[in-house]
Amino acid sequence: MKHIEKGVSLRYAPRDFLRDLNVENASTGVVAGILGLSVGVVHISAGTSAGLDSSFIMIWVISYLMINGLFGLFMPAYYRLPLPMANSIPGALMFAAVIPVIGLEAALGASLIAGAITLVAGVTGVMGIVMRLIPMPIVMGMVGGMLLSFGLNMVKPLESAIVPASVMILAFFISARLFRKIPPLVVAMLAGIVYLMATGVDLSGIEATIRFPEFIVPEFTLGAFLTYGLPLAIILVGMETPAGVGLVKGMGYQEVPANAITAVGGVGTMVSAFFNLHSTCIAAPMTGVCASPEAGAHDKRWVAAVIAGAIFVVAAPFYGYVVSLLEATPRYFIAIIAGLALMRVITSSMAIAFAGKKHEIGALFAFLIAASGIQILGIGATFWALVLGVMVSAIFETKDFEFIFTREIAKKSG
């Protein structure tokens, strides 16, 4: 455990929370919490598109909020840093997509193994080694290809439902420009609901329910691990932690516990696998909110992350209301909301994949294979996107690997 960074303490966290609480970090924490709640729409959309049962989708989202909310209370309180926790959005999309293929229990078993790998990566401090084995542009090419369909489904309603689609998309961009404290996704969702009510869509069947996470026993298969577990582990170690750590450092924090964030995410993912949830990790978009200057002084921004975690825990049992609401809406409503929610993820993955001038061909192959959705030997496209992307890059872009090996040799000789 020598690689795990020491935190402050949990002993005086409640006292320090009250001491550091102010209007700035409280309002920012509420915004981050609402942003995290809105991400549940992505889960609902992905699950609905994959044909998953609505009851399971509700339990999945409730577990996302409850489990990640609890870890989101612990991390910022222990380290006194803005470290909100959530789950991997690309991981959620893969999870929904593979369940009809390999089964729920097998998918959760793969999540459990991915969590164990992530935990080991954090405890041993080998995160950098893992990231060098599979170049990040290729990983992001795979992620971009996997998300492409969500972007396309967002704009398709402009052909068949141009008025509501335009209302929701314009509401998103206008609110993003004018109301920085309000998540534009929430505004777009509300605009769509107002339009539906004004045009006579029947929402009378909506019911408020209270449910809690449910226990399940995962199963283990090699095919499920190769199809889903291995790509998830790579995303958790190579994408989610670096993104969150980079955001925190970018806001002026010098010491960020990267190994601890990875290890805690691994533990959280392993726990999640027993409660119908695919992962736990640092929440990069929420981190950007909680660590921003809007949250006030540097040493008090951790309060915003704690508030976001508390909102998750309190809201979790009642999230079924949102599921019931979206079931009563037209399919284009969910498609547009999911596409808007994923735009930044798509743009960032494409930027990392193709803006660095390295591994471009490998990243392109990873993108195309993931977007195609092909299965070879019963193993899903995400796995082959990584394998074939690396192989193509190793053949045609060998020099992009050589600089890594040269640097390592230079370090050893030095």
Side-chain angles (χ1 to χ4, degrees), residues 150-214:
F150 287 85
L152 295 176
N153 290 337
M154 177 187 71
V155 298
K156 284 180 180 178
L158 290 171
E159 180 181 25
S160 58
I162 188 170
V163 175
S166 299
V167 167
M168 295 174 68
I169 293 173
L170 286 174
F172 180 89
F173 287 110
I174 292 173
S175 64
R177 184 69 180 268
L178 300 179
F179 310 114
R180 293 191 174 185
K181 286 285 186 178
I182 304 176
L185 191 64
V186 174
V187 176
M189 187 174 178
L190 292 175
I193 293 172
V194 170
Y195 175 86
L196 293 176
M197 295 179 67
T199 54
V201 173
D202 183 15
L203 301 179
S204 60
I206 297 173
E207 297 179 356
T209 59
I210 299 177
R211 295 185 68 176
F212 295 89
E214 296 180 359

Side-chain angles (χ1 to χ4, degrees), residues 306-374:
V306 172
I307 291 174
I311 290 174
F312 271 29
V313 173
V314 172
F318 308 98
Y319 208 82
Y321 178 82
V322 179
V323 178
S324 180
L325 172 64
L326 291 176
E327 280 186 334
T329 61
R331 293 186 67 86
Y332 68 75
F333 180 86
I334 297 175
I336 293 172
I337 291 297
L340 291 172
L342 292 168
M343 278 199 310
R344 290 189 180 275
V345 183
I346 296 172
T347 55
S348 63
S349 63
M350 299 295 282
I352 295 173
F354 301 114
K357 304 301 181 183
K358 291 184 181 295
H359 303 286
E360 287 183 319
I361 298 177
L364 177 61
F365 263 76
F367 172 81
L368 295 174
I369 293 168
S372 71
I374 62 172

Side-chain angles (χ1 to χ4, degrees), residues 229-246:
L230 181 58
L232 177 63
I234 293 170
I235 287 174
L236 292 176
V237 175
M239 172 185 168
E240 302 295 355
T241 297
V245 170

Side-chain angles (χ1 to χ4, degrees), residues 1-367:
M1 300 290 287
K2 64 179 181 179
H3 296 287
I4 300 298
E5 301 86 349
K6 284 282 291 182
V8 179
S9 173
L10 289 175
R11 183 177 181 181
Y12 300 110
R15 182 200 67 185
D16 294 346
F17 175 86
L18 295 175
R19 179 197 66 196
D20 293 343
L21 179 65
N22 56 46
V23 175
E24 291 177 313
N25 54 37
S27 61
T28 305
V30 171
V31 171
I34 294 174
L35 175 62
L37 292 178
S38 69
V39 171
V41 177
V42 177
H43 298 67
I44 296 168
S45 174
T48 303
S49 300
L52 303 182
D53 182 74
S54 60
S55 178
F56 166 75
I57 295 174
M58 184 167 65
I59 288 297
W60 181 25
V61 178
I62 289 171
S63 297
Y64 149 62
L65 295 173
M66 181 66 74
I67 294 173
N68 292 321
L70 291 172
F71 280 97
L73 291 173
F74 163 75
M75 284 297 285
Y78 180 67
Y79 285 101
R80 301 296 199 276
L81 291 171
L83 304 174
M85 304 296 285
N87 62 186
S88 169
I89 293 177
L93 302 177
M94 285 195 299
F95 184 61
V98 301
I99 288 175
V101 180
I102 63 178
L104 173 61
E105 290 80 3
L108 292 171
S111 293
L112 181 60
I113 299 175
I117 293 173
T118 305
L119 172 62
V120 171
V123 170
T124 59
V126 299
M127 244 184 64
I129 297 175
V130 174
M131 291 175 62
R132 286 195 294 270
L133 289 176
I134 301 182
M136 192 52 54
I138 295 176
V139 175
M140 292 296 99
M142 179 270 289
V143 171
M146 181 182 58
L147 300 182
L148 179 61
S149 63
F150 287 85
L152 295 176
N153 290 337
M154 177 187 71
V155 298
K156 284 180 180 178
L158 290 171
E159 180 181 25
S160 58
I162 188 170
V163 175
S166 299
V167 167
M168 295 174 68
I169 293 173
L170 286 174
F172 180 89
F173 287 110
I174 292 173
S175 64
R177 184 69 180 268
L178 300 179
F179 310 114
R180 293 191 174 185
K181 286 285 186 178
I182 304 176
L185 191 64
V186 174
V187 176
M189 187 174 178
L190 292 175
I193 293 172
V194 170
Y195 175 86
L196 293 176
M197 295 179 67
T199 54
V201 173
D202 183 15
L203 301 179
S204 60
I206 297 173
E207 297 179 356
T209 59
I210 299 177
R211 295 185 68 176
F212 295 89
E214 296 180 359
F215 183 80
I216 187 172
V217 179
E219 296 178 357
F220 303 97
T221 68
L222 178 60
F225 171 70
L226 295 177
T227 298
Y228 170 64
L230 181 58
L232 177 63
I234 293 170
I235 287 174
L236 292 176
V237 175
M239 172 185 168
E240 302 295 355
T241 297
V245 170
L247 281 168
V248 178
K249 286 189 174 181
M251 292 300 170
Y253 294 89
Q254 299 300 317
E255 300 296 329
V256 183
N259 289 328
I261 291 171
T262 306
V264 170
V267 172
T269 299
M270 294 174 72
V271 172
S272 298
F274 291 94
F275 293 94
N276 294 283
L277 180 63
H278 64 283
S279 70
T280 294
C281 61
I282 187 170
M286 292 169 60
T287 299
V289 175
C290 294
S292 68
E294 285 77 10
H298 266 77
D299 60 343
K300 297 180 180 180
R301 295 179 189 175
W302 68 278
V303 171
V306 172
I307 291 174
I311 290 174
F312 271 29
V313 173
V314 172
F318 308 98
Y319 208 82
Y321 178 82
V322 179
V323 178
S324 180
L325 172 64
L326 291 176
E327 280 186 334
T329 61
R331 293 186 67 86
Y332 68 75
F333 180 86
I334 297 175
I336 293 172
I337 291 297
L340 291 172
L342 292 168
M343 278 199 310
R344 290 189 180 275
V345 183
I346 296 172
T347 55
S348 63
S349 63
M350 299 295 282
I352 295 173
F354 301 114
K357 304 301 181 183
K358 291 184 181 295
H359 303 286
E360 287 183 319
I361 298 177
L364 177 61
F365 263 76
F367 172 81

